[in-house]
Amino acid sequence: MPREPLTLLHESGLEGVDGRPNLLLAGTAHKLFRYSIDGSWILLHCSDFCDDGDWIGGRFLVAQLAGLCLVGHTRGGFWDLTFDATATATEFGGRYSYLTPNDSLIALGIEAANVVLQSNGYFFLFDLTIDGRRERGLGHWSDFESTNYIPGGDSEAGYISFGGDKVLAAEELGGSIIVYTDRSIWSGSYVGGEVVWNFTRIYVGPDVPAYPRAVVNLGDAHMYVTENSIRMLFRGERTPRVFDWLDKASGAIFQGIKASLLEGMPVGSVDYPRKARGGCLHLVGFYNAKDQIVGFSWADTTSQVPNWTLLLSVA
């Protein structure tokens, strides 16, 4: 199997016996590891859904709510990551972690999701695969503070259909969930009762994300890459904002940089981003909250993994 890039890093924030976070997860397309306090990486799971040489698009996803942790794989599989507090301190900071299949999702026939997050005490899944059929316009949420997804009775679990839209990404913003699709933006709010969560379309137009891994949460705003530029959606607003400086900066991604501007630097001319082969999976975003830097990384036509990065200061 060829070497694979890391596509997941997740720190639980749960404290071990020495006060340090006792759970750090790292994932590639096939494998999920946890970091041990002895400095070694321990294999938690190896997925067989990604064939050798076809890892693009396959990745582990993690959402955590206090001590509850849901792990999913985009090609199939959901597990609850549990902790055994009776394990000895030498085993893993006082706790031993392991994966168990999520029985409620198995019972519902939900095999995979491409978007996983938690908000306000609920786990959310979007862009689902159900009984072998991909349903890109469906979402499902769990019961309150639970990884049970079966509705009915006292359970608050439920689902939402976004019509003919295809969900690309979802992030929290101001207590709401913002769901980005291929043609619109939706806002989800907790209302309780029989409805539990209500989703409303707040924007329809061209300024929606084109890259599912390139929506960056800044806290009070989201920054994301469209088909040809970069836009921002602010808390409490319904329409993405257009900024001249972001339009100009996005040219590095979509139009390249002239070699003359890089004269004297140990690099060549920036090529166009690779869009043809799994294109929208080749552009990813991240946020350094300490330095208030947003980054977007993409692959040019010489690479299968991101090999160029645009850094933007939002201080």
Side-chain angles (χ1 to χ4, degrees):
M1 183 180 299
R3 178 178 294 181
E4 299 173 355
L6 286 177
T7 55
L8 169 72
L9 282 175
H10 175 81
E11 186 176 86
S12 73
L14 298 175
E15 291 189 355
V17 293
D18 57 359
R20 293 182 300 175
N22 75 332
L23 184 64
L24 178 63
L25 298 178
T28 68
H30 291 80
K31 297 179 180 180
L32 182 69
F33 302 87
R34 66 171 174 82
Y35 185 73
S36 175
I37 58 174
D38 64 4
S40 62
W41 287 94
I42 300 174
L43 180 65
L44 281 179
H45 184 78
C46 184
S47 172
D48 58 359
F49 285 94
C50 302
D51 298 328
D52 291 356
D54 186 30
W55 52 264
I56 298 174
R59 66 174 60 209
F60 287 93
L61 304 172
V62 176
Q64 184 178 336
L65 176 62
L68 298 174
C69 196
L70 180 71
V71 178
H73 194 279
T74 56
R75 298 290 179 87
F78 288 101
W79 303 269
D80 295 324
L81 182 60
T82 56
F83 306 92
D84 181 4
T86 64
T88 64
T90 59
E91 289 183 287
F92 193 44
R95 299 168 186 255
Y96 179 75
S97 60
Y98 56 96
L99 296 176
T100 55
N102 186 287
D103 292 334
S104 67
L105 290 171
I106 293 174
L108 293 169
I110 299 178
E111 300 167 353
N114 277 278
V115 180
V116 175
L117 78 156
Q118 71 82 22
S119 177
N120 295 282
Y122 299 83
F123 288 101
F124 289 84
L125 312 175
F126 299 101
D127 185 3
L128 309 177
T129 299
I130 304 175
D131 293 328
R133 185 178 65 238
R134 188 170 182 182
E135 301 285 358
R136 300 194 64 177
L138 286 184
H140 205 101
W141 66 83
S142 69
D143 192 11
F144 181 66
E145 293 186 346
S146 170
T147 56
N148 170 45
Y149 285 82
I150 298 177
D154 295 330
S155 173
E156 291 188 301
Y159 63 91
I160 172 69
S161 173
F162 297 95
D165 288 15
K166 299 176 182 179
V167 176
L168 295 176
E171 290 285 347
E172 283 189 302
L173 186 61
S176 299
I177 298 175
I178 302 299
V179 178
Y180 296 96
T181 76
D182 60 333
R183 58 187 182 183
S184 60
I185 302 175
W186 298 65
S187 177
S189 301
Y190 176 79
V191 296
E194 294 183 357
V195 176
V196 188
W197 281 87
N198 181 58
F199 288 84
T200 304
R201 183 186 276 116
I202 62 173
Y203 171 82
V204 179
D207 290 333
V208 295
Y211 303 86
R213 311 299 178 196
V215 177
V216 179
N217 194 336
L218 310 183
D220 287 330
H222 295 164
M223 183 183 291
Y224 56 85
V225 182
T226 69
E227 282 285 357
N228 54 23
S229 190
I230 298 173
R231 296 289 183 260
M232 294 187 71
L233 180 69
F234 286 81
R235 178 177 181 176
E237 298 184 358
R238 301 172 65 92
T239 303
R241 288 197 202 179
V242 178
F243 293 96
D244 183 62
W245 70 278
L246 287 178
D247 282 341
K248 292 178 178 177
S250 67
I253 301 174
F254 296 104
Q255 299 175 14
I257 298 177
K258 293 181 180 179
S260 59
L261 296 177
L262 302 175
E263 187 175 352
M265 300 179 65
V267 295
S269 176
V270 177
D271 205 344
Y272 290 92
R274 178 195 293 262
K275 292 183 180 180
R277 186 171 183 264
C280 60
L281 298 172
H282 283 80
L283 200 154
V284 297
F286 59 91
Y287 179 48
N288 179 339
K290 178 181 177 181
D291 298 324
Q292 294 185 282
I293 297 291
V294 175
F296 293 107
S297 298
W298 71 96
D300 64 23
T301 55
T302 68
S303 177
Q304 290 188 338
V305 297
N307 60 340
W308 292 95
T309 299
L310 173 68
L311 298 179
L312 304 169
S313 173
V314 293

PDB file of all heavy atoms in Angstrom, residues 70-100:
ATOM      1  N   LEU A  70     -18.050  10.136  18.236  1.00  0.00           N
ATOM      2  CA  LEU A  70     -18.520   9.361  17.094  1.00  0.00           C
ATOM      3  C   LEU A  70     -17.463   9.408  16.001  1.00  0.00           C
ATOM      4  O   LEU A  70     -16.993  10.483  15.620  1.00  0.00           O
ATOM      5  CB  LEU A  70     -19.829   9.927  16.552  1.00  0.00           C
ATOM      6  CG  LEU A  70     -20.418   9.190  15.348  1.00  0.00           C
ATOM      7  CD1 LEU A  70     -20.970   7.833  15.766  1.00  0.00           C
ATOM      8  CD2 LEU A  70     -21.508  10.027  14.680  1.00  0.00           C
ATOM      9  N   VAL A  71     -17.091   8.248  15.486  1.00  0.00           N
ATOM     10  CA  VAL A  71     -16.113   8.124  14.417  1.00  0.00           C
ATOM     11  C   VAL A  71     -16.806   7.532  13.195  1.00  0.00           C
ATOM     12  O   VAL A  71     -17.530   6.535  13.307  1.00  0.00           O
ATOM     13  CB  VAL A  71     -14.935   7.218  14.831  1.00  0.00           C
ATOM     14  CG1 VAL A  71     -13.946   7.053  13.678  1.00  0.00           C
ATOM     15  CG2 VAL A  71     -14.236   7.781  16.058  1.00  0.00           C
ATOM     16  N   GLY A  72     -16.615   8.148  12.058  1.00  0.00           N
ATOM     17  CA  GLY A  72     -17.178   7.624  10.826  1.00  0.00           C
ATOM     18  C   GLY A  72     -16.127   7.568   9.740  1.00  0.00           C
ATOM     19  O   GLY A  72     -15.060   8.182   9.846  1.00  0.00           O
ATOM     20  N   HIS A  73     -16.420   6.808   8.698  1.00  0.00           N
ATOM     21  CA  HIS A  73     -15.563   6.759   7.519  1.00  0.00           C
ATOM     22  C   HIS A  73     -16.416   7.076   6.306  1.00  0.00           C
ATOM     23  O   HIS A  73     -17.534   6.571   6.180  1.00  0.00           O
ATOM     24  CB  HIS A  73     -14.907   5.392   7.357  1.00  0.00           C
ATOM     25  CG  HIS A  73     -13.776   5.379   6.370  1.00  0.00           C
ATOM     26  ND1 HIS A  73     -13.973   5.288   5.016  1.00  0.00           N
ATOM     27  CD2 HIS A  73     -12.429   5.483   6.539  1.00  0.00           C
ATOM     28  CE1 HIS A  73     -12.808   5.307   4.390  1.00  0.00           C
ATOM     29  NE2 HIS A  73     -11.862   5.431   5.293  1.00  0.00           N
ATOM     30  N   THR A  74     -15.893   7.919   5.425  1.00  0.00           N
ATOM     31  CA  THR A  74     -16.694   8.367   4.292  1.00  0.00           C
ATOM     32  C   THR A  74     -17.069   7.245   3.324  1.00  0.00           C
ATOM     33  O   THR A  74     -18.023   7.372   2.565  1.00  0.00           O
ATOM     34  CB  THR A  74     -15.953   9.465   3.510  1.00  0.00           C
ATOM     35  OG1 THR A  74     -14.672   8.968   3.100  1.00  0.00           O
ATOM     36  CG2 THR A  74     -15.759  10.701   4.371  1.00  0.00           C
ATOM     37  N   ARG A  75     -16.335   6.151   3.357  1.00  0.00           N
ATOM     38  CA  ARG A  75     -16.655   5.021   2.483  1.00  0.00           C
ATOM     39  C   ARG A  75     -17.517   3.969   3.191  1.00  0.00           C
ATOM     40  O   ARG A  75     -17.932   2.995   2.573  1.00  0.00           O
ATOM     41  CB  ARG A  75     -15.366   4.372   1.970  1.00  0.00           C
ATOM     42  CG  ARG A  75     -14.504   5.297   1.116  1.00  0.00           C
ATOM     43  CD  ARG A  75     -15.121   5.592  -0.230  1.00  0.00           C
ATOM     44  NE  ARG A  75     -14.294   6.483  -1.024  1.00  0.00           N
ATOM     45  CZ  ARG A  75     -13.305   6.111  -1.818  1.00  0.00           C
ATOM     46  NH1 ARG A  75     -12.968   4.836  -1.889  1.00  0.00           N
ATOM     47  NH2 ARG A  75     -12.630   7.004  -2.508  1.00  0.00           N
ATOM     48  N   GLY A  76     -17.757   4.174   4.484  1.00  0.00           N
ATOM     49  CA  GLY A  76     -18.638   3.246   5.195  1.00  0.00           C
ATOM     50  C   GLY A  76     -18.156   2.914   6.582  1.00  0.00           C
ATOM     51  O   GLY A  76     -16.962   2.643   6.784  1.00  0.00           O
ATOM     52  N   GLY A  77     -19.072   2.953   7.553  1.00  0.00           N
ATOM     53  CA  GLY A  77     -18.760   2.567   8.923  1.00  0.00           C
ATOM     54  C   GLY A  77     -18.923   3.707   9.908  1.00  0.00           C
ATOM     55  O   GLY A  77     -18.514   4.841   9.642  1.00  0.00           O
ATOM     56  N   PHE A  78     -19.589   3.400  11.055  1.00  0.00           N
ATOM     57  CA  PHE A  78     -19.702   4.325  12.178  1.00  0.00           C
ATOM     58  C   PHE A  78     -19.381   3.573  13.454  1.00  0.00           C
ATOM     59  O   PHE A  78     -19.832   2.437  13.648  1.00  0.00           O
ATOM     60  CB  PHE A  78     -21.117   4.902  12.291  1.00  0.00           C
ATOM     61  CG  PHE A  78     -21.461   5.890  11.225  1.00  0.00           C
ATOM     62  CD1 PHE A  78     -22.238   5.513  10.148  1.00  0.00           C
ATOM     63  CD2 PHE A  78     -21.004   7.203  11.291  1.00  0.00           C
ATOM     64  CE1 PHE A  78     -22.565   6.417   9.153  1.00  0.00           C
ATOM     65  CE2 PHE A  78     -21.324   8.114  10.309  1.00  0.00           C
ATOM     66  CZ  PHE A  78     -22.111   7.725   9.236  1.00  0.00           C
ATOM     67  N   TRP A  79     -18.623   4.227  14.326  1.00  0.00           N
ATOM     68  CA  TRP A  79     -18.248   3.601  15.578  1.00  0.00           C
ATOM     69  C   TRP A  79     -18.355   4.613  16.713  1.00  0.00           C
ATOM     70  O   TRP A  79     -18.137   5.807  16.524  1.00  0.00           O
ATOM     71  CB  TRP A  79     -16.803   3.085  15.523  1.00  0.00           C
ATOM     72  CG  TRP A  79     -16.544   2.135  14.412  1.00  0.00           C
ATOM     73  CD1 TRP A  79     -16.645   0.778  14.438  1.00  0.00           C
ATOM     74  CD2 TRP A  79     -16.133   2.466  13.083  1.00  0.00           C
ATOM     75  NE1 TRP A  79     -16.327   0.248  13.220  1.00  0.00           N
ATOM     76  CE2 TRP A  79     -16.010   1.262  12.350  1.00  0.00           C
ATOM     77  CE3 TRP A  79     -15.858   3.670  12.421  1.00  0.00           C
ATOM     78  CZ2 TRP A  79     -15.629   1.215  11.027  1.00  0.00           C
ATOM     79  CZ3 TRP A  79     -15.489   3.646  11.093  1.00  0.00           C
ATOM     80  CH2 TRP A  79     -15.372   2.427  10.401  1.00  0.00           C
ATOM     81  N   ASP A  80     -18.688   4.124  17.904  1.00  0.00           N
ATOM     82  CA  ASP A  80     -18.588   4.924  19.117  1.00  0.00           C
ATOM     83  C   ASP A  80     -17.212   4.685  19.715  1.00  0.00           C
ATOM     84  O   ASP A  80     -16.801   3.533  19.897  1.00  0.00           O
ATOM     85  CB  ASP A  80     -19.669   4.523  20.127  1.00  0.00           C
ATOM     86  CG  ASP A  80     -21.069   4.820  19.609  1.00  0.00           C
ATOM     87  OD1 ASP A  80     -21.239   5.845  18.927  1.00  0.00           O
ATOM     88  OD2 ASP A  80     -21.994   4.024  19.892  1.00  0.00           O
ATOM     89  N   LEU A  81     -16.508   5.759  19.980  1.00  0.00           N
ATOM     90  CA  LEU A  81     -15.199   5.662  20.624  1.00  0.00           C
ATOM     91  C   LEU A  81     -15.426   5.790  22.122  1.00  0.00           C
ATOM     92  O   LEU A  81     -15.842   6.841  22.613  1.00  0.00           O
ATOM     93  CB  LEU A  81     -14.276   6.757  20.114  1.00  0.00           C
ATOM     94  CG  LEU A  81     -12.852   6.774  20.658  1.00  0.00           C
ATOM     95  CD1 LEU A  81     -12.140   5.465  20.334  1.00  0.00           C
ATOM     96  CD2 LEU A  81     -12.067   7.942  20.094  1.00  0.00           C
ATOM     97  N   THR A  82     -15.198   4.714  22.831  1.00  0.00           N
ATOM     98  CA  THR A  82     -15.497   4.674  24.256  1.00  0.00           C
ATOM     99  C   THR A  82     -14.213   4.586  25.071  1.00  0.00           C
ATOM    100  O   THR A  82     -13.143   4.273  24.558  1.00  0.00           O
ATOM    101  CB  THR A  82     -16.400   3.469  24.586  1.00  0.00           C
ATOM    102  OG1 THR A  82     -15.763   2.268  24.134  1.00  0.00           O
ATOM    103  CG2 THR A  82     -17.742   3.611  23.900  1.00  0.00           C
ATOM    104  N   PHE A  83     -14.353   4.873  26.373  1.00  0.00           N
ATOM    105  CA  PHE A  83     -13.211   4.925  27.270  1.00  0.00           C
ATOM    106  C   PHE A  83     -13.474   4.021  28.474  1.00  0.00           C
ATOM    107  O   PHE A  83     -14.544   4.071  29.079  1.00  0.00           O
ATOM    108  CB  PHE A  83     -12.971   6.357  27.750  1.00  0.00           C
ATOM    109  CG  PHE A  83     -12.831   7.330  26.634  1.00  0.00           C
ATOM    110  CD1 PHE A  83     -13.935   8.010  26.147  1.00  0.00           C
ATOM    111  CD2 PHE A  83     -11.606   7.567  26.046  1.00  0.00           C
ATOM    112  CE1 PHE A  83     -13.819   8.906  25.111  1.00  0.00           C
ATOM    113  CE2 PHE A  83     -11.479   8.458  25.002  1.00  0.00           C
ATOM    114  CZ  PHE A  83     -12.586   9.128  24.536  1.00  0.00           C
ATOM    115  N   ASP A  84     -12.520   3.214  28.802  1.00  0.00           N
ATOM    116  CA  ASP A  84     -12.627   2.326  29.946  1.00  0.00           C
ATOM    117  C   ASP A  84     -11.795   2.899  31.082  1.00  0.00           C
ATOM    118  O   ASP A  84     -10.572   2.801  31.101  1.00  0.00           O
ATOM    119  CB  ASP A  84     -12.136   0.922  29.568  1.00  0.00           C
ATOM    120  CG  ASP A  84     -12.254  -0.066  30.725  1.00  0.00           C
ATOM    121  OD1 ASP A  84     -12.781   0.338  31.789  1.00  0.00           O
ATOM    122  OD2 ASP A  84     -11.825  -1.211  30.566  1.00  0.00           O
ATOM    123  N   ALA A  85     -12.477   3.537  32.036  1.00  0.00           N
ATOM    124  CA  ALA A  85     -11.776   4.196  33.135  1.00  0.00           C
ATOM    125  C   ALA A  85     -11.183   3.212  34.136  1.00  0.00           C
ATOM    126  O   ALA A  85     -10.435   3.602  35.034  1.00  0.00           O
ATOM    127  CB  ALA A  85     -12.722   5.152  33.856  1.00  0.00           C
ATOM    128  N   THR A  86     -11.491   1.925  33.978  1.00  0.00           N
ATOM    129  CA  THR A  86     -10.956   0.935  34.919  1.00  0.00           C
ATOM    130  C   THR A  86      -9.587   0.440  34.500  1.00  0.00           C
ATOM    131  O   THR A  86      -8.935  -0.287  35.241  1.00  0.00           O
ATOM    132  CB  THR A  86     -11.909  -0.272  35.016  1.00  0.00           C
ATOM    133  OG1 THR A  86     -11.983  -0.933  33.748  1.00  0.00           O
ATOM    134  CG2 THR A  86     -13.309   0.189  35.418  1.00  0.00           C
ATOM    135  N   ALA A  87      -9.149   0.840  33.289  1.00  0.00           N
ATOM    136  CA  ALA A  87      -7.833   0.405  32.837  1.00  0.00           C
ATOM    137  C   ALA A  87      -6.751   1.032  33.703  1.00  0.00           C
ATOM    138  O   ALA A  87      -6.944   2.068  34.335  1.00  0.00           O
ATOM    139  CB  ALA A  87      -7.627   0.795  31.375  1.00  0.00           C
ATOM    140  N   THR A  88      -5.603   0.402  33.737  1.00  0.00           N
ATOM    141  CA  THR A  88      -4.508   0.918  34.565  1.00  0.00           C
ATOM    142  C   THR A  88      -3.912   2.166  33.933  1.00  0.00           C
ATOM    143  O   THR A  88      -4.054   2.411  32.735  1.00  0.00           O
ATOM    144  CB  THR A  88      -3.409  -0.140  34.725  1.00  0.00           C
ATOM    145  OG1 THR A  88      -2.829  -0.420  33.447  1.00  0.00           O
ATOM    146  CG2 THR A  88      -3.987  -1.406  35.309  1.00  0.00           C
ATOM    147  N   ALA A  89      -3.232   2.959  34.742  1.00  0.00           N
ATOM    148  CA  ALA A  89      -2.677   4.223  34.276  1.00  0.00           C
ATOM    149  C   ALA A  89      -1.661   4.027  33.163  1.00  0.00           C
ATOM    150  O   ALA A  89      -1.448   4.912  32.342  1.00  0.00           O
ATOM    151  CB  ALA A  89      -2.042   4.970  35.435  1.00  0.00           C
ATOM    152  N   THR A  90      -1.009   2.882  33.144  1.00  0.00           N
ATOM    153  CA  THR A  90       0.026   2.645  32.130  1.00  0.00           C
ATOM    154  C   THR A  90      -0.565   2.343  30.770  1.00  0.00           C
ATOM    155  O   THR A  90       0.141   2.401  29.766  1.00  0.00           O
ATOM    156  CB  THR A  90       0.930   1.475  32.551  1.00  0.00           C
ATOM    157  OG1 THR A  90       0.129   0.302  32.725  1.00  0.00           O
ATOM    158  CG2 THR A  90       1.643   1.808  33.837  1.00  0.00           C
ATOM    159  N   GLU A  91      -1.870   2.022  30.711  1.00  0.00           N
ATOM    160  CA  GLU A  91      -2.452   1.620  29.440  1.00  0.00           C
ATOM    161  C   GLU A  91      -2.754   2.806  28.527  1.00  0.00           C
ATOM    162  O   GLU A  91      -2.599   2.721  27.336  1.00  0.00           O
ATOM    163  CB  GLU A  91      -3.725   0.794  29.670  1.00  0.00           C
ATOM    164  CG  GLU A  91      -3.422  -0.586  30.222  1.00  0.00           C
ATOM    165  CD  GLU A  91      -4.681  -1.402  30.381  1.00  0.00           C
ATOM    166  OE1 GLU A  91      -5.456  -1.104  31.294  1.00  0.00           O
ATOM    167  OE2 GLU A  91      -4.863  -2.324  29.578  1.00  0.00           O
ATOM    168  N   PHE A  92      -3.212   3.912  29.083  1.00  0.00           N
ATOM    169  CA  PHE A  92      -3.458   5.076  28.243  1.00  0.00           C
ATOM    170  C   PHE A  92      -3.900   6.247  29.102  1.00  0.00           C
ATOM    171  O   PHE A  92      -5.045   6.648  29.098  1.00  0.00           O
ATOM    172  CB  PHE A  92      -4.517   4.771  27.187  1.00  0.00           C
ATOM    173  CG  PHE A  92      -4.595   5.811  26.115  1.00  0.00           C
ATOM    174  CD1 PHE A  92      -3.446   6.326  25.546  1.00  0.00           C
ATOM    175  CD2 PHE A  92      -5.812   6.293  25.670  1.00  0.00           C
ATOM    176  CE1 PHE A  92      -3.505   7.279  24.557  1.00  0.00           C
ATOM    177  CE2 PHE A  92      -5.879   7.257  24.691  1.00  0.00           C
ATOM    178  CZ  PHE A  92      -4.722   7.747  24.120  1.00  0.00           C
ATOM    179  N   GLY A  93      -3.001   6.813  29.854  1.00  0.00           N
ATOM    180  CA  GLY A  93      -3.328   7.961  30.662  1.00  0.00           C
ATOM    181  C   GLY A  93      -4.463   7.700  31.630  1.00  0.00           C
ATOM    182  O   GLY A  93      -5.228   8.595  31.969  1.00  0.00           O
ATOM    183  N   GLY A  94      -4.632   6.459  32.073  1.00  0.00           N
ATOM    184  CA  GLY A  94      -5.704   6.138  32.997  1.00  0.00           C
ATOM    185  C   GLY A  94      -6.968   5.669  32.303  1.00  0.00           C
ATOM    186  O   GLY A  94      -7.924   5.271  32.954  1.00  0.00           O
ATOM    187  N   ARG A  95      -6.990   5.711  30.969  1.00  0.00           N
ATOM    188  CA  ARG A  95      -8.170   5.272  30.225  1.00  0.00           C
ATOM    189  C   ARG A  95      -7.717   4.456  29.013  1.00  0.00           C
ATOM    190  O   ARG A  95      -6.691   4.734  28.414  1.00  0.00           O
ATOM    191  CB  ARG A  95      -9.000   6.464  29.736  1.00  0.00           C
ATOM    192  CG  ARG A  95      -9.547   7.348  30.847  1.00  0.00           C
ATOM    193  CD  ARG A  95     -10.081   8.626  30.238  1.00  0.00           C
ATOM    194  NE  ARG A  95     -10.484   9.557  31.278  1.00  0.00           N
ATOM    195  CZ  ARG A  95     -11.744   9.815  31.598  1.00  0.00           C
ATOM    196  NH1 ARG A  95     -12.715   9.194  30.967  1.00  0.00           N
ATOM    197  NH2 ARG A  95     -12.037  10.684  32.537  1.00  0.00           N
ATOM    198  N   TYR A  96      -8.522   3.501  28.634  1.00  0.00           N
ATOM    199  CA  TYR A  96      -8.230   2.715  27.450  1.00  0.00           C
ATOM    200  C   TYR A  96      -9.334   2.970  26.433  1.00  0.00           C
ATOM    201  O   TYR A  96     -10.513   2.928  26.759  1.00  0.00           O
ATOM    202  CB  TYR A  96      -8.164   1.232  27.772  1.00  0.00           C
ATOM    203  CG  TYR A  96      -7.895   0.368  26.568  1.00  0.00           C
ATOM    204  CD1 TYR A  96      -6.629   0.298  26.013  1.00  0.00           C
ATOM    205  CD2 TYR A  96      -8.917  -0.355  25.972  1.00  0.00           C
ATOM    206  CE1 TYR A  96      -6.382  -0.469  24.901  1.00  0.00           C
ATOM    207  CE2 TYR A  96      -8.685  -1.124  24.852  1.00  0.00           C
ATOM    208  CZ  TYR A  96      -7.408  -1.187  24.325  1.00  0.00           C
ATOM    209  OH  TYR A  96      -7.167  -1.929  23.211  1.00  0.00           O
ATOM    210  N   SER A  97      -8.987   3.284  25.212  1.00  0.00           N
ATOM    211  CA  SER A  97      -9.975   3.634  24.195  1.00  0.00           C
ATOM    212  C   SER A  97     -10.148   2.495  23.197  1.00  0.00           C
ATOM    213  O   SER A  97      -9.208   1.786  22.875  1.00  0.00           O
ATOM    214  CB  SER A  97      -9.546   4.903  23.452  1.00  0.00           C
ATOM    215  OG  SER A  97      -8.299   4.706  22.828  1.00  0.00           O
ATOM    216  N   TYR A  98     -11.380   2.332  22.709  1.00  0.00           N
ATOM    217  CA  TYR A  98     -11.635   1.322  21.694  1.00  0.00           C
ATOM    218  C   TYR A  98     -12.901   1.694  20.915  1.00  0.00           C
ATOM    219  O   TYR A  98     -13.713   2.515  21.353  1.00  0.00           O
ATOM    220  CB  TYR A  98     -11.791  -0.065  22.322  1.00  0.00           C
ATOM    221  CG  TYR A  98     -12.851  -0.160  23.391  1.00  0.00           C
ATOM    222  CD1 TYR A  98     -14.127  -0.617  23.093  1.00  0.00           C
ATOM    223  CD2 TYR A  98     -12.573   0.199  24.709  1.00  0.00           C
ATOM    224  CE1 TYR A  98     -15.099  -0.711  24.074  1.00  0.00           C
ATOM    225  CE2 TYR A  98     -13.536   0.104  25.696  1.00  0.00           C
ATOM    226  CZ  TYR A  98     -14.798  -0.347  25.366  1.00  0.00           C
ATOM    227  OH  TYR A  98     -15.764  -0.426  26.338  1.00  0.00           O
ATOM    228  N   LEU A  99     -13.048   1.113  19.735  1.00  0.00           N
ATOM    229  CA  LEU A  99     -14.162   1.400  18.848  1.00  0.00           C
ATOM    230  C   LEU A  99     -15.201   0.297  18.906  1.00  0.00           C
ATOM    231  O   LEU A  99     -14.863  -0.887  18.891  1.00  0.00           O
ATOM    232  CB  LEU A  99     -13.674   1.538  17.405  1.00  0.00           C
ATOM    233  CG  LEU A  99     -12.725   2.698  17.093  1.00  0.00           C
ATOM    234  CD1 LEU A  99     -12.279   2.610  15.639  1.00  0.00           C
ATOM    235  CD2 LEU A  99     -13.380   4.024  17.360  1.00  0.00           C
ATOM    236  N   THR A 100     -16.482   0.679  18.957  1.00  0.00           N
ATOM    237  CA  THR A 100     -17.579  -0.277  18.874  1.00  0.00           C
ATOM    238  C   THR A 100     -18.561   0.217  17.822  1.00  0.00           C
ATOM    239  O   THR A 100     -18.860   1.425  17.769  1.00  0.00           O
ATOM    240  CB  THR A 100     -18.312  -0.429  20.223  1.00  0.00           C
ATOM    241  OG1 THR A 100     -18.753   0.856  20.670  1.00  0.00           O
ATOM    242  CG2 THR A 100     -17.396  -1.036  21.259  1.00  0.00           C
TER     243      THR A 100
END
